[in-house]
Amino acid sequence: MSDAGTTESTLLRELVGRLPGVQAPDELTLALMEYLAELKAWNARGNLVSQADVPRLVSRHVAESLAAVPLIDRIHPTQVLDLGSGGGFPIVPIKLARPELQVALVEARHLKSLFLRRVRERLDLRGFWVWNMRAEVLAGLPVAAQGASLEAASASANEGVPTMRPIVDLVTVRAVASLSELTRWSESLIASGGHLLAFKGSRLDQELAEWKTDPRGWSLEDVVPLSPEIRIVLFRRS
């Protein structure tokens, strides 16, 4: 194995070792390594992450994704929608760390959705759906007639795109839209008492100020700093 590979695997083991509630740390580390290998193989044609970020896939992207796990443990969701999933951060590492979660990934770009389906196949993930559509389109669909679960919404799918929307406990999102837009889209997707978890950068204070002018029944529950540039914002829907 190359020095870079050794460093990457060592960093992953350290991250997994610090994560609470992991029953099989070696298996989780291996699954994360397989995911990153697939991402690198697709990245040249799919631009899943910027080339500048490839050397820090673990130190930034995986680390930030796993940093959300304690917050998710605190709110105990069972069904999660990830909007604008792209290369799979944060939801793939979260799903690997908490395999009991039912997750649906919403990604508008066809090639990226194909990559996410490949990840599902390679890692043999259950309770993991990939929907090739825009988040705002999903938010405007009628509620699934046979129940509002991810499984029921997926059962309505035509060529992998559902015609009914689910109602979930948690929406996750990274680097997609403003907080005002996200709360507007998510209000039809999240049950009362459910949560929106968003990764935000340098514009967070400005976006929070804009959101406060029309909070739309949401309350700000927590802001968790991950670095000087990145913070996790947790909202609760009343």
Side-chain angles (χ1 to χ4, degrees):
M1 183 178 291
S2 68
D3 291 342
T6 302
T7 300
E8 192 170 79
S9 63
T10 300
L11 287 172
L12 282 172
R13 291 182 189 281
E14 291 173 354
L15 284 173
V16 169
R18 294 196 297 268
L19 194 65
V22 175
Q23 302 301 315
D26 290 343
E27 291 181 15
L28 175 54
T29 301
L30 179 59
L32 287 166
M33 289 178 68
E34 291 180 357
Y35 163 54
L36 294 181
E38 196 69 32
L39 187 150
K40 291 173 188 175
W42 280 66
N43 200 53
R45 56 175 170 152
N47 194 30
L48 303 172
V49 297
S50 72
Q51 286 299 320
D53 271 356
V54 171
R56 53 179 186 167
L57 286 175
V58 176
S59 61
R60 181 184 177 191
H61 294 279
V62 176
E64 289 177 5
S65 300
L66 293 180
V69 171
L71 274 175
I72 292 172
D73 289 346
R74 190 177 85 192
I75 60 179
H76 302 297
T78 58
Q79 297 198 106
V80 184
L81 266 175
D82 185 70
L83 305 183
S85 300
F89 299 111
I91 195 60
V92 172
I94 289 170
K95 171 67 174 178
L96 294 175
R98 295 295 184 262
E100 68 278 7
L101 290 173
Q102 301 279 300
V103 303
L105 290 69
V106 181
E107 171 52 49
R109 296 186 181 181
H110 182 63
L111 186 61
K112 290 182 177 181
S113 67
L114 289 178
F115 163 72
L116 295 169
R117 290 183 178 122
R118 171 59 181 159
V119 169
R120 178 183 61 197
E121 293 167 3
R122 176 166 178 173
L123 298 177
D124 193 25
L125 298 175
R126 299 290 184 261
F128 184 100
W129 295 272
V130 179
W131 298 338
N132 182 203
M133 64 192 308
R134 298 185 66 84
E136 58 268 39
V137 173
L138 177 65
L141 295 176
V143 177
Q146 301 303 315
S149 69
L150 294 175
E151 187 171 7
S154 187
S156 77
N158 179 18
E159 297 184 353
V161 178
T163 58
M164 301 284 180
R165 65 180 159 91
I167 304 293
V168 300
D169 312 301
L170 174 66
V171 164
T172 56
V173 63
R174 186 174 186 251
V176 176
S178 68
L179 290 175
S180 294
E181 289 174 305
L182 291 173
T183 51
R184 185 171 67 253
W185 297 343
S186 298
E187 64 186 359
S188 65
L189 298 168
I190 298 178
S192 177
H195 291 81
L196 166 65
L197 185 153
F199 288 75
K200 283 292 170 182
S202 59
R203 293 189 69 254
L204 175 60
D205 293 339
Q206 179 182 339
E207 289 189 25
L208 282 173
E210 293 170 355
W211 162 75
K212 286 176 182 177
T213 65
D214 183 17
R216 305 179 70 93
W218 294 88
S219 59
L220 180 61
E221 194 163 287
D222 210 343
V223 177
V224 178
L226 301 184
S227 71
E229 297 83 23
I230 303 296
R231 288 173 280 181
I232 298 177
V233 188
L234 186 66
F235 289 94
R236 185 178 187 274
R237 184 171 180 264
S238 59

